Amino acid sequence: MDDFDRDSRAWAERAKYRMLLDSLNAGINDEASVGKIGQDTIDAAVAAPAPTQCMIDGQKPADMAPSSFAFSTDPARAASPVPAISNQTPEALALAVAEAMRLGTLHPEAKKPLTAHIEGHFADLLRKRRSPKYLAEIRTKLQIFIATMGDKPVFQYKKEDMLRYRDLIDQMPVDAIKHLKTDDPMKAIALNAKRASPLPPISSTTVDAKYLSTIRGIFDYLIRKGYLESNPVANVQSEQEADGEDLLDVEVRLPFTPEIEHAIYRLTSKKPKMSADYWWPRFTCRQGLRLHEFTQLCVSDFRELHGRLCVDLLHFDFDGDEHHALRRSQLQLKSNSARRIFPVARELLDDGLLDLIARRRREDGPNARLFPDETADQYGNSSSALSKRANRLVRGITPDRRIVAYSARHTFAKRCDDAGIPLAVRNLFMGHEQGQGSDDNAQSKARGKHVSARYGSPLPTAEELAWFDKIRFD
């Protein structure tokens, strides 16, 4: 304690230790009382939460008796009066000492409120090239959590807080902002209960992947920075029961059936041949592109590799063209794995893709966008308007909410699986993380790893590109 007191930093915390120890000495002056605090009590004090009668951060509970003042026998501290709590039990004093010592070992940043760490977390996400739309959604979910659970010092959030939050979000009505004009979970739940036909709750997938993962992410950031030792959101997941409604979970995406795919082609064939509305199903079903990748396509995103025309979202400079560095910085992709190069389907060439590329190049130059009418929204997302139009078109064909425009990527993935394409190669074509997918370990090991990943080159081999020929699009 003397060593602590020589350092002026965090003086209030150290004074609290001294107060507690002096009070402990003053309150226990006979051997019988001392015997009450054995090793078991001290061990319990370290493990147990602080009792309500402890003074924390200078707050005196209402039920604590008015205190007199006790003074240390050390002359150096005689001028610093401390409240005597000798009327507390030895067990309570041991708990108070342990809690005060625990607070003293906390990183200073752990005592700051959650809002103080949001910008640092966002800077970390920006370094990982997260999109503006993703960051906006993360900010919204964090605001909902703070408004619901309070903006506390981060060390004070416990697993019990996260379980209570999870229980609320499990009851959150779907499309609450649209139908109930609020994103406050408690208000939305109350308003929904008054509806003649209450809205169903959001899916367990949404609870886990959007609400809880956002909170887990910022606490993971705090752990990486060394501010906290454990994540209170660890192993906290939705507890919605699987029932008949779960089978209609809007987060479960099914691939298009052949009938639905043909209907989409038929309807979009009536659109202008130069428009994104004409081309989106042809690209996404046959190339596995995400819509926001599709709307960003530029004429320079098509070049040959190993004698094949490819969609190039990687722009690795293997031909000395300085444009590749610029184009890499322009592309807003979901992750580094989305930066890839993969073959163009023969069916796209048959549909007139080369004519589209040539016309755009003539009109707007070598860096022309294929679909310049698809302008970016406030988050920089160029696919938001097309996504709405595409989903309306799909909804006009089928009422099954598991089938949406994004189902086109699931259609491509299913075709890769039907063709027996190795998981690593399928992930390469689709821009997934290596190892992501449903293959079991034995199957993955038998198929082998992605060759370019093994040798460190970002470019796929000719053998890997050749797997594309096995996909059937009829």
Side-chain angles (χ1 to χ4, degrees):
M1 296 304 300
D2 289 340
D3 289 339
F4 285 161
D5 285 346
R6 290 193 189 102
D7 190 342
S8 62
R9 293 174 302 170
W11 178 87
E13 292 292 341
R14 295 176 187 115
K16 196 182 304 179
Y17 304 156
R18 176 59 60 186
M19 173 198 76
L20 290 166
L21 289 177
D22 288 348
S23 299
L24 185 63
N25 290 332
I28 306 174
N29 51 20
D30 61 82
E31 294 184 1
S33 296
V34 173
K36 293 180 180 179
I37 306 184
Q39 186 60 45
D40 292 343
T41 302
I42 298 300
D43 291 342
V46 173
T52 57
Q53 62 262 39
C54 293
M55 292 184 65
I56 301 299
D57 294 333
Q59 301 297 317
K60 184 177 70 173
D63 59 351
M64 181 179 286
S67 60
S68 59
F69 287 95
F71 296 88
S72 170
T73 56
D74 185 344
R77 301 188 191 91
S80 300
V82 294
I85 53 174
S86 58
N87 58 320
Q88 301 302 307
T89 66
E91 289 81 359
L93 291 173
L95 290 170
V97 170
E99 176 64 10
M101 293 181 69
R102 185 182 74 83
L103 291 176
T105 62
L106 289 173
H107 193 289
E109 294 292 327
K111 301 175 186 178
K112 292 183 179 180
L114 187 59
T115 50
H117 297 286
I118 290 179
E119 295 310 317
H121 179 42
F122 272 59
D124 190 53
L125 293 174
L126 282 171
R127 285 192 291 271
K128 297 177 181 178
R129 297 179 176 270
R130 296 299 190 183
S131 70
K133 181 181 179 182
Y134 175 85
L135 295 177
E137 184 171 356
I138 292 295
R139 189 179 293 277
T140 298
K141 296 299 186 290
L142 285 172
Q143 289 171 347
I144 291 173
F145 174 79
I146 291 169
T148 304
M149 305 306 298
D151 186 20
K152 302 191 293 186
V154 292
F155 80 90
Q156 289 186 1
Y157 289 103
K158 306 300 180 186
K159 189 165 187 175
E160 291 75 15
D161 298 316
M162 305 308 170
L163 292 173
R164 286 195 295 114
Y165 183 65
R166 185 274 317 278
D167 291 343
L168 279 173
I169 301 302
D170 268 347
Q171 304 173 63
M172 183 80 167
V174 68
D175 292 335
I177 294 179
K178 177 180 178 181
H179 297 292
L180 303 172
K181 311 304 180 186
T182 182
D183 58 7
D184 183 306
M186 290 184 285
K187 288 183 180 179
I189 293 168
L191 291 172
N192 193 44
K194 298 177 181 179
R195 288 174 59 97
S197 298
L199 299 167
I202 57 178
S203 71
S204 59
T205 304
T206 301
V207 174
D208 291 333
K210 293 188 176 181
Y211 287 86
L212 295 179
S213 68
T214 296
I215 312 307
R216 186 178 296 111
I218 193 169
F219 279 94
D220 280 341
Y221 159 77
L222 295 172
I223 291 171
R224 290 196 303 273
K225 296 290 287 186
Y227 303 157
L228 295 176
E229 294 184 357
S230 62
N231 192 327
V233 202
N235 301 318
V236 177
Q237 296 179 321
S238 172
E239 287 196 340
Q240 292 185 26
E241 294 184 2
D243 54 22
E245 289 297 320
D246 252 7
L247 298 178
L248 298 180
D249 181 354
V250 296
E251 293 297 326
V252 176
R253 306 305 188 200
L254 296 180
F256 295 143
T257 64
E259 293 76 19
I260 292 175
E261 184 177 4
H262 293 155
I264 292 173
Y265 287 154
R266 184 178 66 255
L267 291 173
T268 55
S269 66
K270 301 175 183 178
K271 303 293 183 179
K273 190 71 177 285
M274 304 295 289
S275 70
D277 295 87
Y278 175 89
W279 284 101
W280 77 260
R282 291 160 177 81
F283 263 96
T284 53
C285 289
R286 295 165 177 168
Q287 304 288 172
L289 283 171
R290 301 173 175 92
L291 279 180
H292 74 271
E293 295 171 344
F294 165 74
T295 54
Q296 291 182 70
L297 286 175
C298 160
V299 296
S300 62
D301 293 337
F302 298 87
R303 64 169 171 164
E304 288 195 357
L305 176 64
H306 303 307
R308 309 176 64 115
L309 183 65
C310 293
V311 178
D312 184 10
L313 301 181
L314 176 65
H315 285 281
F316 183 72
D317 184 10
F318 59 80
D319 55 12
D321 188 344
E322 295 180 355
H323 170 75
H324 296 304
L326 173 62
R327 184 61 181 145
R328 276 199 306 273
S329 66
Q330 292 174 340
L331 284 168
Q332 294 185 7
L333 302 177
K334 182 177 181 180
S335 65
N336 285 335
S337 297
R339 299 182 181 276
R340 63 201 191 276
I341 182 169
F342 54 102
V344 172
R346 168 56 57 183
E347 286 73 11
L348 283 177
L349 301 180
D350 295 341
D351 283 336
L353 174 61
L354 294 180
D355 293 337
L356 172 65
I357 293 172
R359 179 171 172 177
R360 291 300 188 205
R361 183 178 285 112
R362 287 196 306 269
E363 293 177 348
D364 298 317
N367 298 323
R369 289 180 58 203
L370 282 192
F371 310 106
D373 292 338
E374 302 307 315
T375 56
D377 63 10
Q378 59 181 322
Y379 305 118
N381 181 12
S382 58
S383 67
S384 57
L386 175 63
S387 178
K388 293 177 182 177
R389 299 196 303 270
N391 278 306
R392 282 198 298 267
L393 183 143
V394 173
R395 191 60 54 241
I397 296 172
T398 174
D400 191 337
R401 295 184 64 83
R402 297 170 297 176
I403 299 176
V404 293
Y406 194 83
S407 296
R409 261 174 69 82
H410 291 259
T411 303
F412 179 79
K414 183 177 184 300
R415 284 177 166 145
C416 289
D417 291 340
D418 291 344
I421 293 178
L423 176 62
V425 178
R426 189 193 79 175
N427 286 343
L428 164 69
F429 291 160
M430 298 190 67
H432 281 157
E433 294 285 348
Q434 289 303 323
Q436 180 178 341
S438 58
D439 278 356
D440 59 37
N441 292 336
Q443 188 179 16
S444 296
K445 187 173 182 179
R447 288 178 174 178
K449 294 183 178 179
H450 182 211
V451 174
S452 60
R454 189 165 62 229
Y455 289 101
S457 171
L459 297 174
T461 65
E463 293 77 12
E464 288 172 316
L465 297 186
W467 279 102
F468 202 93
D469 298 333
K470 297 183 177 295
I471 305 175
R472 297 177 60 87
F473 295 107
D474 53 358

